[in-house]
Amino acid sequence: MVSTGDMTLSSLGLDIDPAVDASVSATLTAVEEALRANVASADPLVAEAARHLADAGGKRFRPMLVALGAQFGDPSAPEIIAAANVVELTHLATLYHDDVMDEAPKRRGAPSANARWGNSVAILVGDYLFAQAADLAASLGPEAVHLQARTFARLVHGQIAETVGPRGSDPIEHYLHVITEKTASLIATSARFGGLFSGAPAEFVEALASYGETIGIAFQLSDDLLDIASESVQSGKTPGTDLREGVPTLPVLYALAGDDTDASAGRLRELLAGGPITDDERHAEALTLLRESAAMKKARETVRSYAEEARAALAPLPAGDPKRALEGLCDFIADRTS
């Protein structure tokens, strides 16, 4: 069995109705079983490389949103498992491509596919997984195909925007645009798929999609903050990796845009302005200053504001245990970097 990752509802410490928790867990277990079949290939090399990241586990946040969205219709509808696999296969495919573009040596604690098999194989395996996702979407009907294709287009636009940079636009607005397109778009489709293929009413489906997009932004922002705030490998990578690699996440952008006159803020701007911080002493200093900075506090407030916006998007949904589960997820994401 493939690992179910570290973000099932029961692992989050939320006050979740046991029936909802059991339903979501059962869906995620079935998704894992189907995922192994969907990454299979008659070519042994493709099969091994395609299984590489699926076997490494991961949060499975997107399938979880499908399962939660399905609670507003029939969560046992057979299309739910296929829909969850469409979004997870799409997500996995982007990871293969991302690692090539980032020249990443590791992913989820293991050697990345590009480090193990080379860039060409990693790119082609990503393409194969996209093809598998598209084929599975076709089995769900034309609407699923359109939604998956449009989501894929947004993912590509987000990656292009990240690659070319702000090009004169506000860096903070650009950063938020990138994560909206590159991350939140697929999470929105995940929640939409859950409602759509469970047979939920149209107004519920739209509310779920709106929730998914906004909670997707909060989710990515909180991941970026964990890279700074965590003292462990809670974020899935060594703390401060983004600083070392020169990745300008929201706290860094807030710090660079700040006009604080105190010495620590000035020193932090000086350290961050030079790009990647590879020197161990400077890296440790920057990480300490950033953790204690007004910029970090502001970034946490931004995460919470998006989480509250996501909660507000749930207004059209009926009161009950499924809605409380989605609200609990807002609290979890807002609080995990405190």
Side-chain angles (χ1 to χ4, degrees):
M1 179 69 66
V2 184
S3 166
T4 55
D6 59 0
M7 196 172 274
T8 58
L9 283 176
S10 57
S11 73
L12 303 183
L14 304 181
D15 183 17
I16 300 296
D17 174 71
V20 172
D21 192 17
S23 174
V24 171
S25 295
T27 297
L28 291 177
T29 297
V31 167
E32 293 296 326
E33 293 172 352
L35 190 61
R36 181 175 288 278
N38 286 321
V39 301
S41 168
D43 184 298
L45 174 59
V46 174
E48 183 185 6
R51 282 200 315 269
H52 184 63
L53 284 184
D55 285 353
K59 299 181 181 74
R60 300 292 191 254
F61 187 64
R62 292 151 192 84
M64 187 172 74
L65 262 290
V66 176
L68 280 169
Q71 300 299 311
F72 296 91
D74 176 8
S76 64
E79 295 86 356
I80 295 301
I81 306 305
N85 267 255
V86 169
V87 295
E88 188 64 10
L89 286 166
T90 301
H91 173 57
L92 288 173
T94 66
L95 299 185
Y96 282 85
H97 289 175
D98 280 356
D99 285 347
V100 171
M101 296 186 72
D102 298 341
E103 300 179 346
K106 288 191 174 183
R107 166 71 69 174
R108 296 175 176 170
S112 61
N114 48 297
R116 185 167 175 181
W117 290 286
N119 285 345
S120 294
V121 169
I123 290 169
L124 292 169
V125 168
D127 291 344
Y128 171 73
L129 293 176
F130 275 128
Q132 293 294 87
D135 186 54
L136 199 54
S139 73
L140 293 169
E143 188 169 9
V145 173
H146 285 307
L147 287 168
Q148 199 259 354
R150 290 166 186 163
T151 304
F152 185 25
R154 291 187 66 187
L155 294 172
V156 172
H157 278 111
Q159 184 61 66
I160 290 172
E162 182 178 58
T163 301
V164 302
R167 294 191 297 176
S169 64
D170 178 72
I172 295 170
E173 288 182 7
H174 174 264
Y175 170 78
L176 292 171
H177 169 72
V178 166
I179 65 173
T180 299
E181 297 297 290
K182 189 178 170 183
T183 300
S185 63
L186 186 57
I187 293 174
T189 296
S190 302
R192 180 186 291 278
F193 271 10
L196 181 65
F197 292 108
S198 68
E203 62 269 26
F204 293 3
V205 174
E206 292 306 317
L208 286 164
S210 178
Y211 169 87
E213 180 123 348
T214 314
I215 204 67
I217 298 170
F219 175 71
Q220 183 60 57
L221 290 176
S222 68
D223 259 13
D224 291 345
L225 265 63
L226 278 179
D227 179 62
I228 297 165
S230 64
E231 295 288 352
S232 64
V233 291
Q234 182 185 3
S235 62
K237 53 189 176 182
T238 304
T241 296
D242 290 335
L243 280 179
R244 197 174 290 278
E245 295 177 354
V247 177
T249 55
L250 191 63
V252 170
L253 293 172
Y254 277 156
L256 288 170
D259 55 5
D260 312 60
T261 57
D262 61 283
S264 60
R267 174 58 177 164
L268 179 57
R269 283 195 294 272
E270 178 186 338
L271 289 166
L272 297 175
I277 306 175
T278 55
D279 177 79
D280 288 345
E281 279 191 27
R282 290 170 64 86
H283 180 270
E285 182 185 3
L287 192 58
T288 298
L289 289 172
L290 193 54
R291 284 171 172 168
E292 299 170 354
S293 68
M296 188 68 174
K297 180 182 178 182
K298 185 176 181 180
R300 285 192 173 104
E301 290 169 352
T302 301
V303 172
R304 187 166 294 280
S305 71
Y306 277 109
E308 289 307 311
E309 186 179 336
R311 188 195 308 275
L314 297 172
L317 299 179
D321 294 317
K323 184 174 181 177
R324 279 192 289 274
L326 291 172
E327 290 171 338
L329 200 54
C330 294
D331 294 329
F332 170 77
I333 289 174
D335 294 341
R336 69 198 285 240
T337 59
S338 299

